[in-house]
Structure formats: C-alpha cells, structure tokens
Amino acid sequence: MNGAHDELADFRRDPNRGSKAINDHCRPKFIRWGLENHSINGADLEDLFQNAFLLMMHNIQEGRLTELTGTLCTYLFGVGKNLIRAFLRRHRRTDWLGENTPPESPGNVQVAADISLMSRQTSDNLWKDVEALGEPGRSLLILTYKEGLSAQEIADVMGYASAEVVRQLHKRARRDLLLLKAKKVLDKQSYQILFLFYKKNLSDDEIAEQMGFSGPEEVKDRRLECLEQIR
Amino acid sequence: MDNRTETLLELYYANELSETDAVELRHLLDNDPEAAAEWKWQQQIATATRQMKLEAPAAAPKQPLRILIWSSLAAAAALAAWAVATIFMPQQPTVQEAIASSFEHYPNRMSFKALDPTAAAEVPADVIRAFQLYDDPAQYRAAAEALGTIASKYPDHPEYGFYHGVALLGTQNYLAAADALQKTTLSDGPYRVPALYFLGLAQSGAGRYPEARQSFESYLKDKDGIPYRKKAGEMLKVLAEK
C-alpha cells in the first residue's frame, strides 16, 4: 500500500479532516498556479477548484475513484485542468454566426425567437426535473451544458472508462428527462408512443404495429407532435 | 437522430464546432425535423442547467465502500425509509434549499459608508470600491474578489475578511467562504458572532456537517447570537439528519 493510497483511505475515513487539509493546502496552490499560468481571475479559479473538489467527492462516493496514482491534490489538479480547458474554450468561443448566438435556420428567425422565449418560460420548471434525475445524470448535464466539457473531458473528470460511456449515460439522462416531462404534460397514448420509442427502442414500424397506427409515417408525425407539445 | 447529428451537437456544446461544422449543423437543422426537435430539447436543458451548480454528494463518504450485498440491503432499507418519510412525514428541505433560504445579505456596517465624501477620501479607494461592489448583491462575485484583495492587503481589518466570506457564500463558493469566515471567528470584535452563523452555512454547503453543527451551536450559545437565532435553529434541524 503506497502513501497515495493511504491518503485516499484517510479521506474516506474522515472526509471532514481531508476536506480541511485540501482547502488549507491544495486550494491556494491551485489558485496560485491558475493565476500564474492562465488568464483567469481568482474568483473563477475558486469556482473551478470547488467544482473539481465536488467531482472528486462524487467519484469517491460512487466508487469511481478507488486508487490514486499521485496525491489527492495531484488528482484535483488533473480534474481542475480539464475544467480550466473547457472554461477557456467557453470564453474564447468562435463567433461563427457573427453575433455569438446558437445556430438558427436561415429564414427561420421566428423559430429561434420562439425557442428563446419558450426556453425562458420552461427552464424554471425543467431544472426541477433535472434535480429529480439524480446522479450521475445531474452532474453530466451540468458539465455538458453549463461548463462546456466534451464527452472525453467528462470521462476524465468523472472517472468513466471512455467518452462512449459518457455519451450513452448522457443520452439516457436526456431520454429520462424527456419522459419525466412527457408524463406530466401528455395524454396516456402520446406518452406511450414516446416511451416505446425512447425507452424500449422500438422503431416507428414496430410502434405502429403494436399500437394500431396506419404505418410508421403516422407514428413519426405523432411523435414529432408530442415533442412539440412538451418542448 | 443519427450519429453525425449527435457529434455535431456535442461539438457545439463543448465549443469545439468549426465554421464548416456549423454550416453542416445548420443544414441538418433545416432539413431534418428529428434533428431540429433534438436541438430544441437540448437548448431547453442547457437553459435549465445553466442556472444550476454541481453539488456535494447527498451523504459525505464517511465509510469505505461496502460490499455489494450490504449495499443492496442498505439501498432497500433506505428506499423503504424514504417511502415512509415521503408519505407520513412533513418534507424537510435539503441542505442546499435550507442554505438558500437561510442566507441573507449582511448589511454593510462600515463607518465610512455614512461619512461625507471628504472623510471618505481618507479611506483607500480600493476599500471603498470593494464595499460598493458588496452593496450590490448582484455583484457578489466581483465583490468577493475585491474584498479578498483588501483582506490580504489590510490584515489589521479582520472585518474585511468577514465581508469577503459573506460575498463568497453569496456566490456559493463554500470552501473558500468557510476558510475566510473561520479566520473572523477566531478574532475579537463585533463580527466574530455573526461570522459563526455564516461559517455554519458555508460548512453546510461544503458538506462539512459536524463542523457546521458546531458553528451553529456556538452561535446560539453566544449572548450576542440573536439576529439569526431562528434560522440557525432551522439549519440544525436539517443537519440533524446528516
């Protein structure tokens, strides 16, 4: 058993003491290093370190961090560097549309405006559904959409084997979130269509046969209507 | 939705989309209703999650991971307990919710705030600027940075550290807030007791529950621990289950 492993075991035994040691020794080192090497201000570096720490706690608790190759502080630096990389990308975003807006269909500006308005109205409720997803879905979605991490970076900071694993988990989280919302706003038959498509992975053909629709086209139309309703 | 659309959306949200990719994505969104629907959905999730923060795990890892059988039994027991609690007991707020409702802006009690401009000129400009930022809760992040700077620059003023801690707490930067407030609780002066309360909140946010309980209890025991008495008591109730 090496020293690094002991440090992890010590942290598991007494996380309060471990957190304090990290806060006293590792946090200032990380902030100093960040200030010297990146054009990020102290408050943002504090946030990034806090996120690295929270991810480490999740990884320990959920059994994805069971062995250290260095110290806990080295581990936190590794997580923190991924977060910094995403942070810098986010702030140097290529303004390829000329106005730093999401891609919208040419000639379809009204749709984009509707989306924006709808997003503002629904996001207040949607976050509750994201909370209801629990972990790891909650963290995966925040790391993707708020922190701007790629699937590979999320795999690195959350201790998953590969980006592909993250993509699958991400897809599952989005699907579960969609079904959570669908259950609240759709009638039983409409929900059933989405459930069979997203959860049971049935094709439109199979759903048509099972639910007595005229054919896959009708199912597809119904499905897209359902999505319009819940979005 | 095909793999290419998935890839392009992933690149978009990771801010790695090239201009060529962007043209391709726009073309897809125009011509594929499934892709457009998925795009709308992810935009909604993005809007919702941008208001959220990573949080500490529900329970701090107090023990090494148990063997699988134990975990299954524990999970079943926890589920049963949760079901009973959900049906029969009043809902207790989560720690994060409790912190959100217990945190309030500590008023700026700096004497120079009330001074006339001539007298205020005796106070260094960076101090005045830091407290101007602090007076606007929408500026907590900038205030935390400015107050952190003056707290280090003027160590004879422990009160700067206190306001620094409160501003950090306002940005939900719990670890750093606990660090700043801890120092104030060790100093003498009028900020020691309120610092105990805010320290309890910071420690709760950082998942350091036993220490948080201790801080709230110290606050309640102190004869000056009056203004936040009720809130400290409510926090202790929430933390009792942790």
Side-chain angles (χ1 to χ4, degrees), chain A residues 5-19:
Chain A
H5 183 83
D6 283 344
E7 197 188 349
L8 187 57
D10 288 347
F11 189 91
R12 283 191 186 125
R13 259 193 303 276
D14 190 347
N16 296 316
R17 192 170 166 191
S19 307

mmCIF file of all heavy atoms in Angstrom, chain A residues 5-19:
data_model
loop_
_atom_site.group_PDB
_atom_site.id
_atom_site.type_symbol
_atom_site.label_atom_id
_atom_site.label_comp_id
_atom_site.label_asym_id
_atom_site.label_seq_id
_atom_site.Cartn_x
_atom_site.Cartn_y
_atom_site.Cartn_z
ATOM 1 N N HIS A 5 -2.282 5.871 -1.742
ATOM 2 C CA HIS A 5 -3.473 5.082 -1.438
ATOM 3 C C HIS A 5 -3.918 5.367 -0.012
ATOM 4 O O HIS A 5 -5.099 5.477 0.281
ATOM 5 C CB HIS A 5 -3.189 3.595 -1.632
ATOM 6 C CG HIS A 5 -4.410 2.778 -1.387
ATOM 7 N ND1 HIS A 5 -5.355 2.589 -2.362
ATOM 8 C CD2 HIS A 5 -4.860 2.152 -0.277
ATOM 9 C CE1 HIS A 5 -6.337 1.863 -1.858
ATOM 10 N NE2 HIS A 5 -6.061 1.580 -0.603
ATOM 11 N N ASP A 6 -2.945 5.501 0.876
ATOM 12 C CA ASP A 6 -3.283 5.814 2.267
ATOM 13 C C ASP A 6 -4.044 7.130 2.357
ATOM 14 O O ASP A 6 -4.958 7.264 3.158
ATOM 15 C CB ASP A 6 -2.000 5.940 3.095
ATOM 16 C CG ASP A 6 -1.427 4.585 3.421
ATOM 17 O OD1 ASP A 6 -2.161 3.587 3.279
ATOM 18 O OD2 ASP A 6 -0.269 4.533 3.783
ATOM 19 N N GLU A 7 -3.666 8.098 1.549
ATOM 20 C CA GLU A 7 -4.308 9.404 1.586
ATOM 21 C C GLU A 7 -5.782 9.273 1.216
ATOM 22 O O GLU A 7 -6.648 9.888 1.837
ATOM 23 C CB GLU A 7 -3.597 10.362 0.623
ATOM 24 C CG GLU A 7 -3.941 11.808 0.913
ATOM 25 C CD GLU A 7 -3.407 12.770 -0.136
ATOM 26 O OE1 GLU A 7 -2.600 12.362 -0.989
ATOM 27 O OE2 GLU A 7 -3.830 13.930 -0.093
ATOM 28 N N LEU A 8 -6.058 8.441 0.220
ATOM 29 C CA LEU A 8 -7.453 8.233 -0.192
ATOM 30 C C LEU A 8 -8.225 7.518 0.916
ATOM 31 O O LEU A 8 -9.367 7.877 1.229
ATOM 32 C CB LEU A 8 -7.475 7.406 -1.494
ATOM 33 C CG LEU A 8 -8.818 7.220 -2.165
ATOM 34 C CD1 LEU A 8 -9.467 8.553 -2.497
ATOM 35 C CD2 LEU A 8 -8.646 6.410 -3.459
ATOM 36 N N ALA A 9 -7.580 6.531 1.500
ATOM 37 C CA ALA A 9 -8.230 5.791 2.603
ATOM 38 C C ALA A 9 -8.489 6.735 3.777
ATOM 39 O O ALA A 9 -9.558 6.697 4.395
ATOM 40 C CB ALA A 9 -7.348 4.628 3.042
ATOM 41 N N ASP A 10 -7.530 7.585 4.059
ATOM 42 C CA ASP A 10 -7.697 8.561 5.151
ATOM 43 C C ASP A 10 -8.877 9.483 4.863
ATOM 44 O O ASP A 10 -9.662 9.808 5.747
ATOM 45 C CB ASP A 10 -6.434 9.433 5.307
ATOM 46 C CG ASP A 10 -5.286 8.647 5.913
ATOM 47 O OD1 ASP A 10 -5.548 7.537 6.434
ATOM 48 O OD2 ASP A 10 -4.144 9.130 5.835
ATOM 49 N N PHE A 11 -8.978 9.894 3.603
ATOM 50 C CA PHE A 11 -10.063 10.801 3.238
ATOM 51 C C PHE A 11 -11.409 10.111 3.432
ATOM 52 O O PHE A 11 -12.361 10.713 3.927
ATOM 53 C CB PHE A 11 -9.911 11.266 1.781
ATOM 54 C CG PHE A 11 -10.873 12.363 1.411
ATOM 55 C CD1 PHE A 11 -10.523 13.689 1.555
ATOM 56 C CD2 PHE A 11 -12.155 12.065 0.960
ATOM 57 C CE1 PHE A 11 -11.419 14.712 1.249
ATOM 58 C CE2 PHE A 11 -13.060 13.062 0.641
ATOM 59 C CZ PHE A 11 -12.682 14.393 0.786
ATOM 60 N N ARG A 12 -11.470 8.836 3.035
ATOM 61 C CA ARG A 12 -12.736 8.099 3.203
ATOM 62 C C ARG A 12 -13.094 7.969 4.678
ATOM 63 O O ARG A 12 -14.253 8.076 5.056
ATOM 64 C CB ARG A 12 -12.604 6.692 2.622
ATOM 65 C CG ARG A 12 -12.673 6.666 1.128
ATOM 66 C CD ARG A 12 -12.795 5.213 0.731
ATOM 67 N NE ARG A 12 -12.725 5.065 -0.700
ATOM 68 C CZ ARG A 12 -11.864 4.274 -1.315
ATOM 69 N NH1 ARG A 12 -11.000 3.551 -0.624
ATOM 70 N NH2 ARG A 12 -11.872 4.180 -2.615
ATOM 71 N N ARG A 13 -12.067 7.733 5.495
ATOM 72 C CA ARG A 13 -12.323 7.565 6.934
ATOM 73 C C ARG A 13 -12.813 8.862 7.568
ATOM 74 O O ARG A 13 -13.718 8.871 8.375
ATOM 75 C CB ARG A 13 -11.045 7.097 7.640
ATOM 76 C CG ARG A 13 -11.021 5.605 7.947
ATOM 77 C CD ARG A 13 -9.886 5.278 8.907
ATOM 78 N NE ARG A 13 -8.576 5.690 8.403
ATOM 79 C CZ ARG A 13 -7.846 4.957 7.563
ATOM 80 N NH1 ARG A 13 -8.297 3.800 7.110
ATOM 81 N NH2 ARG A 13 -6.669 5.384 7.162
ATOM 82 N N ASP A 14 -12.180 9.958 7.188
ATOM 83 C CA ASP A 14 -12.517 11.230 7.825
ATOM 84 C C ASP A 14 -12.577 12.345 6.761
ATOM 85 O O ASP A 14 -11.635 13.134 6.608
ATOM 86 C CB ASP A 14 -11.471 11.570 8.893
ATOM 87 C CG ASP A 14 -11.905 12.750 9.758
ATOM 88 O OD1 ASP A 14 -12.884 13.434 9.369
ATOM 89 O OD2 ASP A 14 -11.273 12.996 10.800
ATOM 90 N N PRO A 15 -13.688 12.389 6.002
ATOM 91 C CA PRO A 15 -13.762 13.370 4.913
ATOM 92 C C PRO A 15 -13.708 14.818 5.383
ATOM 93 O O PRO A 15 -13.245 15.694 4.655
ATOM 94 C CB PRO A 15 -15.104 13.070 4.227
ATOM 95 C CG PRO A 15 -15.844 12.169 5.129
ATOM 96 C CD PRO A 15 -14.882 11.527 6.054
ATOM 97 N N ASN A 16 -14.149 15.054 6.627
ATOM 98 C CA ASN A 16 -14.121 16.442 7.107
ATOM 99 C C ASN A 16 -12.690 16.933 7.270
ATOM 100 O O ASN A 16 -12.337 18.031 6.855
ATOM 101 C CB ASN A 16 -14.875 16.555 8.431
ATOM 102 C CG ASN A 16 -16.328 16.229 8.244
ATOM 103 O OD1 ASN A 16 -16.945 16.667 7.288
ATOM 104 N ND2 ASN A 16 -16.884 15.407 9.118
ATOM 105 N N ARG A 17 -11.890 16.061 7.846
ATOM 106 C CA ARG A 17 -10.487 16.429 8.042
ATOM 107 C C ARG A 17 -9.769 16.526 6.686
ATOM 108 O O ARG A 17 -8.986 17.438 6.447
ATOM 109 C CB ARG A 17 -9.839 15.357 8.919
ATOM 110 C CG ARG A 17 -8.500 15.745 9.425
ATOM 111 C CD ARG A 17 -8.036 14.752 10.457
ATOM 112 N NE ARG A 17 -6.634 14.924 10.700
ATOM 113 C CZ ARG A 17 -5.898 14.088 11.387
ATOM 114 N NH1 ARG A 17 -6.451 13.008 11.912
ATOM 115 N NH2 ARG A 17 -4.629 14.313 11.579
ATOM 116 N N GLY A 18 -10.101 15.555 5.816
ATOM 117 C CA GLY A 18 -9.496 15.556 4.480
ATOM 118 C C GLY A 18 -9.844 16.821 3.711
ATOM 119 O O GLY A 18 -8.987 17.425 3.063
ATOM 120 N N SER A 19 -11.124 17.238 3.806
ATOM 121 C CA SER A 19 -11.559 18.444 3.087
ATOM 122 C C SER A 19 -10.808 19.663 3.598
ATOM 123 O O SER A 19 -10.420 20.542 2.832
ATOM 124 C CB SER A 19 -13.061 18.704 3.303
ATOM 125 O OG SER A 19 -13.787 17.576 2.991
#
